[in-house]
Amino acid sequence: DIQMTQSPSSLSASVGDRVTITCQASQDISNYLNWYQQKPGKAPKLLIYDASNLETGVPSRFSGSGSGTDFTFTISSLQPEDIATYYCQQYDNRPITFGQGTRLEIK
Amino acid sequence: QVQLVESGGGVVQPGGSLRLSCAASGFTFSSYGMHWVRQAPGKGLEWVAFIRYDGSNKYYADSVKGRFTISRDNSKNTLYLQMNSLRAEDTAVYYCAKGVSWFAGTAMDDLTIFDYWGQGTLVTVSS
């Protein structure tokens, strides 16, 4: 199975900060990498697909980049409503696997 | 708008069985592969099972293979997960998710983006 390693596991930042989360795959997954946001008690929500494509309706402060094994997710200006856990997910190879999640808190 | 509504969760003893359902609306259910993904309390997301749009192909995580069965009824726009021989480690919120795949029509169509998720149903395995 492809292992997805997110860093950091948790993060505390202030409103307006630029926030970056990384996701590393254990092997080359091309750009078959998605990012999800999960707020407490809610289902995950797709934010970014294929490493860098913004899902319809998602604010433009969210972005993604990378290919191969190293990927980055960025919030350009953190808002209070962005408090959540963020997951990366690969779909290059069976089985689909997720990163362990990054919990984002407001400082 | 797309809606996925899970039901059927509850408390069951180890070794018991449970069947989850996921009622879909707002899209052409019979055209899309569907998945179950679970999340143990306080833990991350784990993919569980996939079924092709027409039910002709199914894949399972090793952790549930031989115990869980995914199925669908396209006439009722409903996805199912039959869970047998349940263990404590199966305790989780179970989500159904709609899949979008660039590999649609191929043998790799289980490899998807999860574009919509249900609200989840909690399964607790405990004596």
Side-chain angles (χ1 to χ4, degrees), chain A residues 1 32 34 36 38 41-46 49-50 55 87 89 91-100, chain B residues 35 37 39 43-47 59 95 100 102-103 107-119:
Chain A
D1 298 4
Y32 296 121
N34 307 314
Y36 300 87
Q38 186 179 33
K42 300 295 187 182
K45 174 187 175 183
L46 176 66
Y49 64 93
D50 294 346
E55 175 70 344
Y87 294 93
Q89 172 238 331
Y91 69 107
D92 178 71
N93 220 330
R94 191 178 296 142
I96 287 171
T97 49
F98 294 86
Q100 81 279 13
Chain B
H35 300 257
V37 178
Q39 186 170 36
K43 301 297 184 183
L45 300 166
E46 179 189 17
W47 172 80
Y59 293 105
Y95 296 101
V100 174
W102 307 126
F103 307 107
M108 305 296 283
D109 61 350
D110 58 309
L111 300 177
T112 70
I113 302 161
F114 302 114
D115 61 343
Y116 290 96
W117 300 63
Q119 86 288 351

Side-chain angles (χ1 to χ4, degrees), chain A:
Chain A
D1 298 4
I2 296 176
Q3 306 301 316
M4 306 300 294
T5 304
Q6 284 183 237
S7 182
S9 297
S10 64
L11 175 59
S12 182
S14 300
V15 172
D17 282 355
R18 183 181 183 86
V19 170
T20 298
I21 299 168
T22 64
C23 180
Q24 185 170 59
S26 60
Q27 64 187 68
D28 190 335
I29 60 169
S30 185
N31 67 331
Y32 296 121
L33 188 284
N34 307 314
W35 290 96
Y36 300 87
Q37 176 192 65
Q38 186 179 33
K39 296 184 178 181
K42 300 295 187 182
K45 174 187 175 183
L46 176 66
L47 298 182
I48 302 286
Y49 64 93
D50 294 346
S52 61
N53 294 290
L54 195 66
E55 175 70 344
T56 302
V58 173
S60 59
R61 64 180 181 274
F62 297 101
S63 64
S65 64
S67 66
T69 60
D70 295 300
F71 302 86
T72 300
F73 172 81
T74 300
I75 306 174
S76 60
S77 178
L78 185 66
Q79 300 301 304
E81 60 266 31
D82 299 337
I83 298 314
T85 299
Y86 293 85
Y87 294 93
C88 60
Q89 172 238 331
Q90 69 80 21
Y91 69 107
D92 178 71
N93 220 330
R94 191 178 296 142
I96 287 171
T97 49
F98 294 86
Q100 81 279 13
T102 295
R103 185 174 173 182
L104 179 56
E105 300 175 337
I106 293 285
K107 194 179 292 183

Side-chain angles (χ1 to χ4, degrees), chain B residues 62-74:
Chain B
D62 286 346
S63 58
V64 306
K65 201 173 294 182
R67 300 187 299 121
F68 289 13
T69 301
I70 190 171
S71 62
R72 65 191 297 160
D73 185 336
N74 285 345

